[in-house]
Each structure stands twice: as structure tokens, then as C-alpha cells.
Amino acid sequence: MDVHAKMNRAQFLRGATAAAVGSMVAGISTALAAPSDAEQTAPKVQGRYGEAPMLAERVQRGELPPVEQRLPENPYVVPHAWLTPGKYGGWMQWACTSADDWGTTHFIQESMYGHSPLRWLKDGLEIGPGLAERWETNQDTSVWTFYFRKGLKWSDGHPWTVDDILFWWEDEVQIPDLNELPPDEARSGKGTLMQMRKIDDYTLQLIFDAPAPLTADRLAMWVKRGIGPRWMDPKHYLAQFHPKYNPDVDRATWVETFTAKRDFAINPECPTMTGWMLESYTKGQNSVWVRNPYYWCVDQWGNQLPYIDGITQTNVQDAQVLRLRITSGQVDYVHGGFVPLTLADVSVLRQAEPRSGLEVRFWDSGSGTSSMYFFNYDYADPKMRALIREPKFRKALSHAYNRANVQKVVYFNTGELTTGTLSPKALEYNVEGGRRVYEEWRDSALRYDPDYAKRLLDEIGVTDKNRDGWREMPDGSPLVITLDYPADQPPDSEHVRKNELLAKDWQAIGLNTRLNPVTPTTFGDQWAAGQILTTTAWEVGDGPNHLVYPQWLVPLERSRWAPLEGTFYAVRGTPKEREELDIDPYKRTPPRMAPEPGGPIDRLWQIYDQTKVEPDVLKRIYMVWDMIKIHVQEGPFFSGTVANTPRLVLVKKGLRNVPRREDLALGGFVNPWIHPTPAVYDPEAYYWEDPAAHPRA
């Protein structure tokens, strides 16, 4: 089954309103086998390659090889219809806010797709080539073969080969001390890990003991290596810090050293495949990125990207200071997913436009929840855990939530009210019968009905036993609900404002509810250990289908609504699966527990494992619907507010090739990190109309 051009979903979606699911599935099978007539293969570059003048000067001085030798034999050609030929030069100032180092490192990583074998295109409707220029699978999708671009080079000029993937797989994932757990796409539906087979320097096979139909989707998701699974690291550089290759490394400290050295967002020496490479880094403050002379992507006119010389990414820890930087014109580009700007800021931003030079644009968020809340299903306190696992308790709190009020106050009456689902743009909702399934989940615990909520609480014994005005646990002990969130959330963020309104709603039905900011640096570890009761500063935006990143649908890792059970799933197939079984789950390393036999998570796992070995897309869709039924009947396991609200994108006057909403296939798909925005729109192709007016500061 050759899929050398694109795996097309647009044909599937277009047919959703006109044909039965079965006939649409046949259309998908055809699209997987070969490009449809509507598709076009990647554009070909005519003539010689262009390059930045600063690089041409280095070539003349003998410091760099010619551009034709720096690019692979067949460079990736960015295919977007909105692109125009650009100009080289200039600098971009980016900014975001975070109390930790995310603002310095991770947000800019989410903007660069350079490490991905495959890429999402057209807001997730298609999968296109990336580092791999073509790929194929056998009939049952148990063996995948990827043909990578010959002549790829790391940013230091060293050849990239499949050995760099094998290094990650053999010398990082399979070294327990590094705690590099294998990603879910590395497992078959039987829970066993895949095998990698090197055919040659540019050809790699992934071999599973059962069908793995979503492999291509999962190789397109995230940006790899920094956000999401790494999937590769520069062996030629990192081998010197690894005891397997260098017996002289200090065995006591090598893990710490190796982990720091492999992070290309903090270590300028570490080679990268992204369009810009790190020049300098100041923890928590800023990072400076400069053009990678070996970047392997060009535009359709043959110009090597990126156009812009570099980016300074500044982390401003105070949200108000960040707003001042934006409105005073010190920032050139703002992506809505990286800053705490909300619809409440639109008026001020538009008033500041003459001073800031920033045009306000809107892309669709694609969110299934907007600001949400969810309880820790594996909370350490047994009495509270038992209450959390009672569906009537979670349903009562959902029905006590006045979402329409939050929609009005926080989201300016945009979006649609929802109990909380995955993205409404997801594939499974855009087929025959899919809308009905979506609406059933969306509306399952949506109705604002405080009296009904009180009756549900009464039925499970959560009543005011001592008549102090607050409801107690069924055994009469105090019940306090904390709305926990990282303390770096600005007071006027959508999450904090939602929490304030949510707390009032729950207090109104007799639940003692308090807002509780938690130190951001410890939040994740405490949550994973069952020490934090709720998470209230997140949202669900995941797509483009439920199975490509199903962690909200099915607990598979430590950060979502069932962290200990998710961790248990994540270590299946590794030695840790059978270790520490006689130890309290909360004292294991890492903390983990098996699900209750026959319980909702056990059943979700069983269905999910079936989807991973089912090559028939129609059957997989039905299985997803079966998992959604569990959420409808026994949830909500997470609770949203409104779906698909707009997200802000601010673009400085004169910055070109930044798409508008009407340019994008689905109006944008901003919120899910697995559909990495703006990386999917190739910021390397952005350029300044007047580069000289935007020098490096």
C-alpha cells in the first residue's frame, strides 16, 4: 500500500453528508492506496535554489558548502496556497508568559516542525511527507516502511540518517535510567513494543506483531523531539555523553549530563533539524534562535527557508507586563495558544493597533471544552477517591455548573455550550451518524439544573449532616473541594475567571469550594502521585481524530484524569509492568495502579486495544463511539464549558505569509498541541516586506 504523496481525509469529510459510512470508508481505502485525482503531489522546484545573502557570503568565504550541497536531494517544498515569494532578512520578536522555563523553550519548539517524519496538512485533513518523503505499509498495516530524504543534514552539517532514530530507540528509550518511556505509537494493540529494522541509511521499517493502522497519523502529530516523543537525537554528538559509546563518562552523573546535552532548546551545541537553531539561552528569560544553514525545506520558488534571520523568544513572567510589551509594539507576532490573551483583550488590542502595529486576527480554536475541570480519579485519599469515582457525584457537579454564565462573561457568547468532548472538528463526528454521537456526548451532563444536582448529591449521602450550611461526606466527615491550578495563571485568565464562577455555583448547592493555586514546578508530579484533587486550567482540543491522541478518551499516561492508571498503562510491556506489585500503588516508582476489573477504565482499555489492531476504519469509528458511550453513561470524567471559541493571532504590519482564517481548510485548528500550531503553517516561510526595518535588537 503506497502512500507516497498524501493520506487524504478531505474526501472522507466531503462525503459525510452525502453517503453512508460504508461507502465513505471505501473512499478512504482508495485514498490510502494512492493519491486521488483531487490531490497533487508535492510541488517541484524549477531552476536553482535561492539562499539568504548572509549564507551566500559564508559560501564565498569557504565557511559553508553551496546551498545545493546543504539541502537534501529532494527538499521538502512547503505546499500552502497562500504563500508568495519572500525576502530574506530581518528579525522577529516573540513573547509569552510562564512562571517556569516553558516560555523560554517549549513554545518556540511548538512552532517548528523540523523533526517530524510526517506532517499534518490542511488542518489535519491530510498527512503529508516530512523528513520521510514517502512511506508504505503492508496490507494489515503491521509493517511500515519509511523512505527518508537522502542528503539530510543536522544544523552542524553532519549527515542525518536512520541511525539517529535507532539511537533514540535503542540507547534512550530502552535505558531505564533515562526514564524515556516509549510512546504509544511504538506499541501494537497487544501491548508489545515494535521492532525497528534499518534497511539502509535512509530506509527504516517499523515492525509490529499486530496491525498498527494509525502509525502515519502519530508520526505527524506533535513536532517531535521536545514537544511529544523525541523520535530522534543526533547520535554523532550525544554518543560522547553516553556510557555505551564513551566508557570514560561519569556513571554517577551521566543521566543528568546527557539529558541536558540532548535538549536543543537549552544547549546551543546540540544539533537540530529545525529552521532556526539555538544561539543563546537564559533560563526563564529568553532564548535566541538563528537561521539553520542546513534546513531541509524550500518554498515552491526554490528559496531555502527560513526567510527571517532569527527570533528572540522572551518569557515575561508577569502577564500585565506582557500585555504592555504587546500593546507598545515590542512584539511582532503573537500566537493565541502561547499567551494569556482572551477575547476580553480584543478592544484594547484594537485601540493599541496604531501604536503596536499588530493586526488582530482570529483562528478557530478547535477546542472541545475551552477552560475545563476534572477530578483526580486516582486521588490518594480513599474516601474522596470513592466519591470521585461515583458517577452521580460528577454528574451532579456538572449539572450545578452554569456554563451559559461563563460563556457570556468569559467567552463573550462565542462557541457552543458543552459537557466536554474531544474537538468537534474530529473525524468521527463528521461522518454519517457522527454528529448524533457528538451531540449526545456534548449534551450528556450539560443542563444547568441546581435542584437536580442537589437530588443527586442527596441520593449518594452527600448532605449537610451538621447543619453548618455545607454538605459533608457520606460518613459525616468534612468535604472540601479545591479548584487546583498552577499559581502562574494570571488572575484575569480564562481559567481563574471560570474557577471563580464555578466555585460560586458549587457553593450555591452547599459544596465548600475554594480556589487553590499550586506551585507550578511541582504540580505535575503531585498530580501523578494522586496528591492534587482537581485540574482546572486546561482544555481539550485534541484531534484530528480520537485515536491519534486518545489520552483524554482513554487513560494512557500520568497527566490527565486517571494518572496512576494511565501510568500503569504506559509501563505495560516494560519490566516495570511486573515490578513492585506488592507495594502500595502510591509508593511505587512511578506511582501506578491497575484499573478496577470491569470498571470504566478497564473497558476503555479493552476497546482501545482493539482499535490499535483493527485495520478497518469503519470498525474503528464504531469502537470510538463505544468508548464515547462509556463517557456519556459513566462520566463526565472531564467537564468543559464551551467548544470551538476563537483564538487570537496578532501579526505585525509588514509580516507576510501568515495565513488568515479564510486561507485555512477548517478555519484553523489552534489548540491541540498534537496538531502543532503554528508549525503546521510553516513560520519559516514568514517574511518581512521591509526586512531592513526589523533589525536584530
Side-chain angles (χ1 to χ4, degrees):
M1 184 185 294
D2 188 1
V3 283
H4 63 278
K6 299 172 185 173
M7 300 180 71
N8 189 285
R9 289 163 172 72
Q11 174 179 337
F12 188 92
L13 295 171
R14 286 194 298 269
T17 59
V21 174
S23 62
M24 288 186 288
V25 170
I28 287 185
S29 299
T30 301
L32 289 174
S36 69
D37 292 340
E39 290 182 71
Q40 296 181 4
T41 56
K44 300 297 182 183
V45 174
Q46 303 296 325
R48 300 178 60 185
Y49 294 115
E51 64 180 321
M54 64 165 51
L55 298 183
E57 293 173 1
R58 294 181 62 188
V59 172
Q60 292 179 349
R61 295 196 297 266
E63 298 172 3
L64 283 176
V67 62
E68 293 81 7
Q69 296 178 25
R70 301 198 308 271
L71 289 167
E73 291 181 8
N74 294 307
Y76 178 80
V77 183
V78 292
H80 312 303
W82 63 80
L83 297 182
T84 59
K87 300 176 182 178
Y88 286 109
W91 203 266
M92 281 194 291
Q93 298 291 335
W94 291 8
C96 59
T97 183
S98 173
D100 55 21
D101 213 29
W102 270 72
T104 315
T105 58
H106 285 68
F107 292 138
I108 192 165
Q109 288 176 303
E110 178 75 356
S111 303
M112 300 187 291
Y113 227 157
H115 294 111
S116 296
L118 305 177
R119 295 180 173 217
W120 293 116
L121 297 172
K122 296 185 178 179
D123 286 346
L125 295 181
E126 295 179 358
I127 295 175
L131 288 169
E133 58 182 329
R134 65 187 182 93
W135 65 100
E136 62 189 26
T137 182
N138 63 348
Q139 192 63 37
D140 73 348
T141 69
S142 63
V143 178
W144 291 75
T145 305
F146 294 89
Y147 302 90
F148 291 90
R149 300 175 190 276
K150 295 181 179 179
L152 288 164
K153 294 179 177 63
W154 290 95
S155 56
D156 62 357
H158 193 280
W160 182 101
T161 72
V162 299
D163 286 339
D164 296 305
I165 295 178
L166 289 168
F167 178 78
W168 162 77
W169 181 246
E170 297 174 353
D171 300 321
E172 296 182 63
V173 173
Q174 299 183 36
I175 304 297
D177 289 344
L178 287 173
N179 198 30
E180 180 89 358
L181 293 176
D184 195 49
E185 62 260 37
R187 301 182 184 278
S188 75
K190 296 180 179 179
T192 52
L193 296 179
M194 67 182 179
Q195 295 181 349
M196 286 189 181
R197 180 187 174 206
K198 176 182 177 181
I199 306 300
D200 57 42
D201 280 349
Y202 295 100
T203 310
L204 181 69
Q205 278 189 340
L206 308 182
I207 303 168
F208 300 86
D209 64 355
L214 293 169
T215 298
D217 298 68
R218 288 175 173 155
L219 288 180
M221 58 193 272
W222 306 106
V223 292
K224 306 303 185 192
R225 194 167 181 247
I227 306 291
R230 305 184 67 81
W231 268 95
M232 67 195 68
D233 266 325
K235 179 178 180 179
H236 70 283
Y237 170 73
L238 289 174
Q240 63 184 309
F241 309 110
H242 199 295
K244 176 179 175 180
Y245 301 94
N246 181 3
D248 295 329
V249 300
D250 187 339
R251 296 275 179 162
T253 62
W254 84 270
V255 169
E256 181 180 355
T257 300
F258 183 88
T259 300
K261 292 293 186 181
R262 72 178 176 181
D263 190 344
F264 71 96
I266 67 172
N267 175 20
E269 296 179 356
C270 186
T272 181
M273 299 294 289
T274 52
W276 292 281
M277 58 186 186
L278 184 67
E279 180 184 78
S280 65
Y281 157 80
T282 304
K283 185 174 182 179
Q285 298 182 33
N286 63 66
S287 55
V288 179
W289 300 76
V290 296
R291 176 185 285 108
N292 173 5
Y294 293 92
Y295 190 50
W296 46 280
C297 301
V298 301
D299 64 17
Q300 59 185 293
W301 300 277
N303 298 308
Q304 185 191 29
L305 301 175
Y307 276 121
I308 292 176
D309 292 340
I311 300 171
T312 298
Q313 170 72 52
T314 301
N315 182 40
V316 182
Q317 296 193 7
D318 187 296
Q320 293 304 324
V321 174
L322 175 63
R323 284 184 173 88
L324 289 174
R325 289 180 66 94
I326 291 171
T327 55
S328 63
Q330 299 178 63
V331 180
D332 298 320
Y333 175 71
V334 176
H335 172 64
F338 298 165
V339 296
L341 296 178
T342 69
L343 296 174
D345 295 296
V346 171
S347 177
V348 171
L349 291 169
R350 283 181 168 160
Q351 290 174 10
E353 188 171 336
R355 182 171 67 256
S356 70
L358 290 167
E359 176 190 353
V360 179
R361 300 182 185 179
F362 299 98
W363 291 348
D364 283 359
S365 69
S367 173
T369 63
S370 293
S371 183
M372 64 188 297
Y373 71 86
F374 54 97
F375 284 88
N376 193 326
Y377 199 80
D378 299 327
Y379 193 59
D381 177 73
K383 286 195 298 184
M384 191 67 203
R385 183 170 68 249
L387 190 59
I388 291 168
R389 293 187 177 188
E390 168 55 60
K392 287 185 178 181
F393 177 73
R394 300 192 306 276
K395 290 183 187 297
L397 271 61
S398 183
H399 285 294
Y401 180 21
N402 189 348
R403 292 173 171 85
N405 187 37
V406 178
Q407 181 187 39
K408 177 182 178 180
V409 173
V410 179
Y411 297 106
F412 293 81
N413 285 323
T414 61
E416 62 178 357
L417 296 176
T418 182
T419 299
T421 70
L422 270 69
S423 174
K425 295 177 183 281
L427 177 72
E428 292 86 352
Y429 302 143
N430 290 279
V431 299
E432 185 87 6
R435 186 67 186 177
R436 173 187 55 78
V437 173
Y438 167 70
E439 291 175 353
E440 184 179 4
W441 193 4
R442 180 196 66 189
D443 300 340
S444 59
L446 177 61
R447 185 181 76 255
Y448 175 52
D449 191 340
D451 289 335
Y452 178 60
K454 292 176 184 177
R455 290 198 300 272
L456 288 176
L457 292 175
D458 290 345
E459 289 175 12
I460 60 175
V462 178
T463 59
D464 183 5
K465 297 176 176 58
N466 62 8
R467 302 194 179 187
D468 65 347
W470 299 117
R471 294 174 181 266
E472 281 80 42
M473 287 276 197
D475 68 353
S477 58
L479 171 59
V480 176
I481 297 175
T482 55
L483 297 178
D484 306 308
Y485 58 92
D488 58 348
Q489 284 291 319
D492 60 348
S493 73
E494 62 180 302
H495 302 299
V496 175
R497 295 174 69 201
K498 175 266 296 178
N499 286 350
E500 290 171 344
L501 296 171
L502 178 62
K504 291 179 180 178
D505 289 340
W506 287 354
Q507 290 165 359
I509 63 168
L511 292 171
N512 189 351
T513 307
R514 307 169 184 173
L515 272 64
N516 182 43
V518 179
T519 303
T521 54
T522 62
F523 195 101
D525 290 338
Q526 289 186 70
W527 177 266
Q531 300 299 320
I532 291 179
L533 180 64
T534 63
T535 288
T536 64
W538 211 342
E539 60 91 32
V540 176
D542 293 338
N545 64 64
H546 286 59
L547 295 176
V548 70
Y549 191 69
Q551 276 81 341
W552 288 111
L553 192 66
V554 190
L556 303 175
E557 45 78 72
R558 65 177 230 159
S559 64
R560 287 163 176 79
W561 52 273
L564 274 76
E565 290 164 88
T567 302
F568 191 92
Y569 189 97
V571 302
R572 291 196 321 175
T574 72
K576 283 190 176 294
E577 180 180 9
R578 295 176 178 82
E579 294 176 356
E580 302 181 308
L581 297 181
D582 58 339
I583 298 177
D584 184 319
Y586 294 90
K587 296 180 180 179
R588 295 171 182 169
T589 306
R592 58 195 186 278
M593 68 167 65
E596 298 172 345
I601 294 177
D602 185 37
R603 285 180 282 125
L604 286 169
W605 282 8
Q606 291 179 34
I607 300 171
Y608 175 62
D609 285 344
Q610 293 175 38
T611 69
K612 294 200 297 182
V613 299
E614 178 51 66
D616 185 279
V617 64
L618 173 59
K619 293 180 180 179
R620 291 202 306 272
I621 289 173
Y622 287 158
M623 291 173 184
V624 167
W625 291 355
D626 286 340
M627 287 190 279
I628 289 174
K629 288 179 184 177
I630 294 174
H631 280 256
V632 169
Q633 295 169 0
E634 302 182 50
F637 299 109
F638 57 86
S639 296
T641 305
V642 290
N644 202 32
T645 54
R647 293 306 297 259
L648 300 179
V649 177
L650 307 182
V651 181
K652 182 67 68 77
K653 181 180 178 180
L655 185 61
R656 306 301 187 196
N657 278 347
V658 184
R660 297 180 179 273
R661 184 183 185 280
E662 56 267 26
D663 295 322
L664 305 175
L666 296 178
F669 199 175
V670 172
N671 284 22
W673 289 73
I674 61 172
H675 179 264
T677 310
V680 290
Y681 307 130
D682 292 289
E684 295 84 0
Y686 296 177
Y687 71 92
W688 289 112
E689 183 65 30
D690 182 7
H694 301 275
R696 179 173 182 173

